[in-house]
């Protein structure tokens, strides 16, 4: 009976952020090439190219160069509900054939304050050589480092949105 008791092979991360901007601007930050280039998996300084087709089943590709190494990030927009909800995939072809899922809920908490609920789901294959404890530890390390990485990305997103508001 025990052999059918398979552990969940997914890691799920949920983060929430408040931004002092309108929901439209947070939505744009996830779908507009000019915004994405400033914060999402790249920076204006390290970006080699960015191609975004932000429509239902549209795709995106970001090529970022750091320390001479080219990193490619690509995915697709699965669901787009303007200014409210986005489901997209994200993958790094040189690291893995699989794509992870990002879900973003955007809503106005109060005038001028937008809440973003970010959910990330990643498939973590279980290697046969790992014990259950080692596998759980591997998933925990992946969860913690990935959550930390997204928190840092969202700090950059916050700065990008604040700079946009100052220019407006």
């Amino acid at each position: 009976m025990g052999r059918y008791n398979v552990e969940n092979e997914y890691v799920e991360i949920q983060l929430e952020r408040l931004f002092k901007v309108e929901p439209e601007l947070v939505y744009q930050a996830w779908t507009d090439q000019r915004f994405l280039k400033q914060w999402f998996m790249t920076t204006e300084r390290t970006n080699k190219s960015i191609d975004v087709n932000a429509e239902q089943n549209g795709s995106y590709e970001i090529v970022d160069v750091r320390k001479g190494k080219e990193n490619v990030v690509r995915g697709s927009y699965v669901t787009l509900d303007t200014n409210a909800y986005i489901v997209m995939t994200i993958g790094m072809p040189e690291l893995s054939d699989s794509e992870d899922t990002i879900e973003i809920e955007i809503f106005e908490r109060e005038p001028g304050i937008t809440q973003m609920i970010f959910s990330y789901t990643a498939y973590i294959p279980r290697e046969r050589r790992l014990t259950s404890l080692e596998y759980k530890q591997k998933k925990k390390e992946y969860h913690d480092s990935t959550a930390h990485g997204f928190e840092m990305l969202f700090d950059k997103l916050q700065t990008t949105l604040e700079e946009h508001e100052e220019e407006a």
Side-chain angles (χ1 to χ4, degrees):
M1 195 68 162
R3 67 185 182 148
Y4 297 108
N5 184 10
V6 178
E7 284 186 48
N8 181 358
E9 293 184 335
Y10 291 88
V11 169
E12 297 174 357
I13 297 169
Q14 189 168 56
L15 304 170
E16 294 186 32
R17 280 286 177 113
L18 292 176
F19 299 103
K20 293 180 183 176
V21 297
E22 301 300 319
E24 296 79 16
L25 205 54
V26 175
Y27 183 85
Q28 272 188 305
W30 285 97
T31 57
D32 186 307
Q33 185 166 305
R34 293 166 301 167
F35 273 106
L36 288 165
K37 186 177 186 174
Q38 296 176 49
W39 76 275
F40 187 65
M41 310 300 281
T42 191
T43 68
E44 287 193 289
R45 189 177 55 78
T46 60
N47 186 268
K48 181 176 176 185
S49 69
I50 185 166
D51 183 33
V52 178
N53 179 11
E55 60 184 41
Q56 200 82 14
N57 300 315
S59 62
Y60 66 91
E61 180 176 275
I62 299 164
V63 179
D64 186 69
V65 179
R66 294 178 196 227
K67 298 179 183 169
K69 184 178 180 331
E70 197 170 274
N71 301 299
V72 178
V73 178
R74 67 171 64 116
S76 59
Y77 291 97
V78 178
T79 305
L80 292 169
D81 182 358
T82 306
N83 303 329
Y85 184 70
I86 301 167
V87 176
M88 60 195 283
T89 63
I90 181 171
M92 296 180 176
E94 63 268 356
L95 298 179
S96 168
D97 290 338
S98 68
E99 287 189 332
D100 301 332
T101 303
I102 293 174
E103 185 177 352
I104 304 116
E105 296 177 68
I106 303 164
F107 54 94
E108 191 169 51
R109 184 82 170 262
E110 56 188 72
I113 304 288
T114 298
Q115 182 169 358
M116 177 184 81
I117 300 173
F118 170 87
S119 302
Y120 177 83
T121 305
Y123 175 73
I124 308 296
R126 179 165 181 172
E127 301 165 44
R128 288 188 133 177
R129 63 180 180 80
L130 296 179
T131 67
S132 288
L133 184 60
E134 290 169 330
Y135 179 61
K136 285 179 183 174
Q137 185 62 35
K138 178 182 176 180
K139 288 186 356 181
K140 181 180 180 345
E141 288 169 5
Y142 181 88
H143 174 280
D144 294 351
S145 65
T146 302
H148 178 71
F150 278 116
E151 288 287 6
M152 290 182 359
L153 261 182
F154 297 154
D155 289 345
K156 181 66 179 155
L157 171 57
Q158 181 105 33
T159 302
T160 300
L161 292 172
E162 287 170 3
E163 288 170 356
H164 183 273
E165 283 294 283
E166 288 170 10
E167 293 170 9

